[in-house]
Amino acid sequence: MHKTFFISDLHLTPSRPDITACFLHFMRYEAIHCDALYVLGDLFDFWVGDDDNSPFAKQVRAAFQALTSSGVPCYFIQGNRDFLLGKRFARQTGVTLLPEEHVIELYGRKAVILHGDTLCTADVSYQAFRKKVHQPWLQFIFNRLPMVLKRKIVSRIQSDIRSDKQTKQLEIMDVTPYEVVQVMHKHQVDLMIHGHTHRPNIHHDEVHQQTRIVLGDWYEQGSVLVVTPDDYALEHRDFTL
Ligand code: LP5
Ligand code: MN
């Protein structure tokens, strides 16, 4: 049966082997049978750079490599936690990197796919932070630092940010409805798929005749959007296999 998978917000990290195990199982036994796999960002808890050669990074790369070399096309959109994942990762795994907003053809229906952070325009401090870390010159320099130093910088910034996030109201961390309508209009589509907010749901906007599917995170269970030629469903996968 034809099916396409969408996942995001796994936040893979060596300190959560339960998530990694569920992901590797999903790649090996499920994704292998799909038409295409789309990873819509935040696959990693934080990706410090494509020069990460830890056993954990190698294991994840190998899982993608195995999938793509078996003939399953695999696409990746960067999230706010893996915006440093780049061309080298793509080369090593056979994964195709997509731009931050991309229109795909899903069994005859067009859909725009994205991580979702760019839709949260009310989160002004985050958008300012995003603009800073997306500067090519800054990434160019950061990517050339030794791995140990990069890890130190990241954990310092992460602890600064953690306290900032705690003071934010929940609403500003959700998407701005106007932005959703705008992005779909810009791409001339009536279907949007994204992650980031960790609020899995299928929203139907009757006024604009638009559907927005929000993917779930992988904190407590695996979370997959399964799209077939005539249906779509948000499904779960247990960690205890
Ligand atoms: O992912 P989630 O849901 O936890 O939170 C996001 C937003 N947070 C982030 C931060 C990243 O997870 C971790 C960043 C580590 C950065 C290392 C950078 C290394 C340098 C690279 C240079 C090329 O994305 C969070 C959103 C939330 O989603 C919901 O949308 O609210 O945003 C924040 O909390 C960000 C703060 O609001 C911004 C605070 C500014 C702190 C300034 C730090 C200095 C930056 C210097 C950059 C070089
Ligand atoms: Mn995110």
Side-chain angles (χ1 to χ4, degrees), residues 78-109:
Q78 297 170 335
N80 55 296
R81 288 162 173 267
D82 39 27
F83 61 89
L84 293 169
L85 187 142
K87 287 183 188 142
R88 199 195 311 182
F89 182 96
R91 257 197 322 274
Q92 288 171 336
T93 58
V95 163
T96 304
L97 283 185
L98 298 177
E100 65 184 46
E101 279 173 18
H102 186 69
V103 176
I104 57 169
E105 179 96 16
L106 253 185
Y107 307 114
R109 186 172 181 187

Side-chain angles (χ1 to χ4, degrees), residues 6-231:
F6 295 82
I7 57 173
S8 71
D9 306 285
L10 291 84
H11 295 199
L12 295 177
T13 164
S15 62
R16 285 292 304 268
D18 51 346
I19 308 178
T20 309
C22 186
F23 166 71
L24 294 176
H25 187 275
F26 167 77
M27 294 291 273
R28 226 169 271 154
Y29 301 104
E30 281 202 63
I32 198 95
H33 303 298
C34 73
D35 293 333
L37 170 69
Y38 289 87
V39 182
L40 301 190
D42 288 2
L43 172 73
F44 295 102
D45 198 49
F46 198 79
W47 185 250
V48 184
D50 291 354
D51 54 335
D52 187 344
N53 275 322
S54 63
F56 165 75
K58 283 183 178 159
Q59 194 179 28
V60 175
R61 277 196 294 259
F64 281 104
Q65 222 287 316
L67 187 65
T68 58
S69 60
S70 78
V72 176
C74 195
Y75 304 94
F76 192 100
I77 294 184
Q78 297 170 335
N80 55 296
R81 288 162 173 267
D82 39 27
F83 61 89
L84 293 169
L85 187 142
K87 287 183 188 142
R88 199 195 311 182
F89 182 96
R91 257 197 322 274
Q92 288 171 336
T93 58
V95 163
T96 304
L97 283 185
L98 298 177
E100 65 184 46
E101 279 173 18
H102 186 69
V103 176
I104 57 169
E105 179 96 16
L106 253 185
Y107 307 114
R109 186 172 181 187
K110 279 197 164 72
V112 64
I113 57 173
L114 65 169
H115 176 56
D117 56 331
T118 50
L119 299 168
C120 305
T121 52
D123 195 344
V124 178
S125 61
Y126 168 68
Q127 295 302 337
F129 167 79
R130 185 182 194 278
K131 211 169 161 183
K132 272 198 199 103
V133 297
H134 272 80
Q135 295 172 108
W137 69 268
L138 189 61
Q139 292 192 2
F140 182 89
I141 294 171
F142 187 82
N143 284 336
R144 275 148 191 85
L145 299 175
M147 189 45 97
V148 245
L149 180 57
K150 292 202 289 187
R151 286 197 197 282
K152 267 196 190 137
I153 295 172
V154 168
S155 62
R156 171 71 68 85
I157 297 177
Q158 275 173 330
S159 58
D160 287 355
I161 287 179
R162 219 159 276 145
S163 48
D164 187 67
K165 196 181 151 190
Q166 276 159 6
T167 63
K168 286 185 195 179
Q169 287 174 302
L170 282 176
E171 307 89 72
I172 74 154
M173 291 195 280
D174 200 356
V175 301
T176 305
Y178 175 76
E179 194 61 24
V180 171
V181 173
Q182 286 300 305
V183 171
M184 282 206 248
H185 180 75
K186 181 173 79 188
H187 294 288
Q188 292 291 296
V189 297
D190 61 4
L191 177 62
M192 171 184 275
I193 303 169
H194 71 83
H196 181 66
T197 60
H198 304 205
R199 300 172 202 220
N201 210 336
I202 299 180
H203 302 270
H204 296 288
D205 178 339
E206 303 299 339
V207 178
H208 301 94
Q209 291 288 304
Q210 294 173 337
T211 301
R212 177 170 66 96
I213 305 176
V214 187
L215 308 178
D217 62 49
W218 284 52
Y219 285 158
E220 313 284 338
Q221 61 199 347
S223 192
V224 187
L225 168 67
V226 182
V227 179
T228 61
D230 36 37
D231 201 12

